[in-house]
């Protein structure tokens, strides 16, 4: 069987996401150490900082019997100009999988093309698929929804903020699973047209109800309000402009009055209190947000078992 990569949520079919999350819930409830990856190593290249993704993947492979090898970009010969091709071919002869966080999404694609081992996107400028798997797991867990099929009937998900990588993957997983998903973003920061077109194409067959808007009133009746930083890694020079444009999109107590009474708040983290959400909201919804970050561990174990 040829190897498969997880570069985008669109690399997974709806039933596979359901199975993968079922496995993640089982792993979470059993909390057993397994040795299915005994003698195997997972390489991890992080070209940008990471706390959750780096540590949850390292812990996940260790708890499944394998070893994580952190390949710091500054210590790889890539820094001195070795090509992605040569790096990927060499790493494929040692490792069983490669987790990679990059600036350019096309670099994840090139690594995948040149590797004979599965490549997992740990965040690029376009997508963060591992994050959105943990997000859906958290929504099901906290809203007590047993299957992904029931999610559409029962849950309205609203993302508010920057239409960047995290939003793109949440949009994608909603489109694939057929969920009710509203994305609220200032016009200038809506997801790119190719991401929107792809989501609507999937929605036409999955039955997803997707709304893209700049109107904050569309938070109405949300069961989940999700946000991400306004200044993603690599966009630091746009800090001032972005703060001005995004301020009306802050998740605060006033905004949450529009949501449903049972609404939970999610954030992929790291958070900037006072920007995309207030300190009060972060405190009040800490339980849902930190459950979400814990679920990165369980869902990524399922990802490793599915792809490696
Ligand atoms: N949410 C997330 O990916 O966090 P890190 O950047 O800390 O990995
Ligand atoms: N959108 C953020 C997500 C961090 C996990 C970024 O790319 O920096």
């Amino acid at each position: 069987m040829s190897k498969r990569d997880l570069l985008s949520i669109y690399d997974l079919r709806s039933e596979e996401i359901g199975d993968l999350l079922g496995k993640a819930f089982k792993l979470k409830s059993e909390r057993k150490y397994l040795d299915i990856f005994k003698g195997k190593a997972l390489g991890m290249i992080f070209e940008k900082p990471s706390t959750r993704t780096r540590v949850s993947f390292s812990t996940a492979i260790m708890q499944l019997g394998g070893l994580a090898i952190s390949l710091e970009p500054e210590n790889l010969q890539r820094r001195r100009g070795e090509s992605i091709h040569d790096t990927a071919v060499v790493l494929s002869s040692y490792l069983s999988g490669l987790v990679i966080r990059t600036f350019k999404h096309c670099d994840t694609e090139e690594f995948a093309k040149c590797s004979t081992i599965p490549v997992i996107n740990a965040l690029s400028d376009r997508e963060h698929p591992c994050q959105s798997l943990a997000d859906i797991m958290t929504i099901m867990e906290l809203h007590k929804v047993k299957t992904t099929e029931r999610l559409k009937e029962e849950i309205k998900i609203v993302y508010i903020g920057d239409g960047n990588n995290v939003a793109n993957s949440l949009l994608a997983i909603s489109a694939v699973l057929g969920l009710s998903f509203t994305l609220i973003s200032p016009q200038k920061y809506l997801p790119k047209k190719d991401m929107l077109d792809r989501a609507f194409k999937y929605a036409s067959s999955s039955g997803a109800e997707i709304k893209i808007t700049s109107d904050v009133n569309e938070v109405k009746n949300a069961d989940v309000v999700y946000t991400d930083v306004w200044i993603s890694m690599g966009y630091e020079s746009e800090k001032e402009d972005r703060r001005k444009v995004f301020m009306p999109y802050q998740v605060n107590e006033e905004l949450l009055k529009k949501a449903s009474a049972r609404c939970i708040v999610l954030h992929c983290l790291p958070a900037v209190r006072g920007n995309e959400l207030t300190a009060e909201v972060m405190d009040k919804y800490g339980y849902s947000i930190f459950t979400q970050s814990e679920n990165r561990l369980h869902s990524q174990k399922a990802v490793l078992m599915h792809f490696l």
Side-chain angles (χ1 to χ4, degrees):
M1 215 176 73
S2 66
K3 66 111 179 186
R4 287 177 62 199
D5 309 294
L6 178 58
L7 306 186
S8 161
I9 278 297
Y10 295 113
D11 292 328
L12 286 164
R13 295 186 307 276
S14 168
E15 319 77 70
E16 280 184 292
I17 296 175
D19 290 350
L20 202 148
L21 295 181
K23 169 72 88 186
F25 278 117
K26 191 164 180 285
L27 289 161
K28 183 170 182 174
S29 71
E30 291 176 349
R31 291 180 191 268
K32 276 204 250 165
Y33 293 94
L34 302 171
D35 64 2
I36 50 175
F37 292 124
K38 197 170 170 190
K40 299 196 169 174
L42 178 72
M44 303 197 308
I45 301 177
F46 282 83
E47 293 178 358
K48 295 171 177 170
S50 169
T51 299
R52 280 143 289 270
T53 312
R54 181 200 306 271
V55 180
S56 55
F57 264 118
S58 308
T59 309
I61 190 86
M62 181 272 287
Q63 292 182 349
L64 295 174
L67 172 78
I69 304 180
S70 204
L71 304 163
E72 300 305 330
E74 63 276 17
N75 295 327
L76 288 177
Q77 295 286 10
R78 276 278 295 142
R79 194 187 58 143
R80 296 176 57 247
E82 188 168 20
S83 67
I84 289 182
H85 173 271
D86 293 357
T87 308
V89 171
V90 170
L91 292 180
S92 296
S93 69
Y94 309 139
L95 302 169
S96 298
L98 185 63
V99 167
I100 177 155
R101 171 169 289 194
T102 60
F103 284 88
K104 292 185 284 178
H105 187 78
C106 59
D107 285 353
T108 66
E109 293 173 333
E110 197 174 345
F111 262 104
K113 198 177 82 199
C114 303
S115 301
T116 53
I117 53 173
V119 174
I120 296 167
N121 177 2
L123 180 146
S124 66
D125 58 354
R126 201 172 85 189
E127 271 209 55
H128 196 1
C130 297
Q131 179 68 55
S132 61
L133 291 167
D135 300 339
I136 298 300
M137 178 179 179
T138 309
I139 294 168
M140 291 171 74
E141 180 179 344
L142 298 182
H143 275 305
K144 299 187 172 40
V145 180
K146 288 266 180 275
T147 63
T148 51
E149 290 75 22
R150 298 292 312 154
L151 270 177
K152 180 181 170 217
E153 312 304 322
E154 299 181 20
I155 303 293
K156 174 179 173 178
I157 304 172
V158 173
Y159 174 92
I160 180 162
D162 191 10
N164 194 13
N165 42 18
V166 167
N168 282 337
S169 288
L170 203 59
L171 170 67
I173 204 164
S174 302
V176 172
L177 291 177
L179 308 185
S180 162
F181 178 72
T182 298
L183 186 147
I184 309 173
S185 192
Q187 192 66 30
K188 187 173 170 192
Y189 296 106
L190 288 171
K192 297 215 163 43
K193 188 176 177 304
D194 60 334
M195 292 307 292
L196 293 176
D197 289 350
R198 197 164 189 195
F200 281 112
K201 190 166 157 242
Y202 270 76
S204 65
S205 54
S206 70
E209 283 169 22
I210 290 180
K211 186 178 269 184
I212 307 292
T213 175
S214 297
D215 180 2
V216 295
N217 291 311
E218 294 293 341
V219 166
K220 68 174 183 283
N221 302 328
D223 301 302
V224 177
V225 171
Y226 192 129
T227 190
D228 179 16
V229 288
W230 293 339
I231 300 124
S232 282
M233 293 177 277
Y235 296 83
E236 289 77 6
S237 64
E238 300 175 16
K239 190 173 170 181
E240 294 315 318
D241 279 359
R242 283 175 170 263
R243 274 203 91 219
K244 269 189 230 127
V245 178
F246 279 111
M247 202 40 99
Y249 296 81
Q250 184 187 61
V251 178
N252 50 39
E253 296 284 6
E254 202 49 40
L255 181 96
L256 290 173
K257 282 183 191 155
K258 301 181 208 293
S260 96
R262 61 175 188 157
C263 179
I264 58 169
V265 173
L266 296 182
H267 192 309
C268 55
L269 300 178
V272 182
R273 291 165 174 79
N275 269 12
E276 71 276 3
L277 82 183
T278 58
E280 295 73 29
V281 168
M282 185 75 200
D283 288 345
K284 185 166 170 195
Y285 294 93
Y287 181 74
S288 52
I289 293 170
F290 291 117
T291 298
Q292 180 188 9
S293 57
E294 183 196 321
N295 284 341
R296 298 290 305 278
L297 172 68
H298 311 296
S299 55
Q300 282 160 204
K301 277 186 185 170
V303 164
L304 292 173
M305 289 167 79
H306 193 79
F307 282 88
L308 260 56

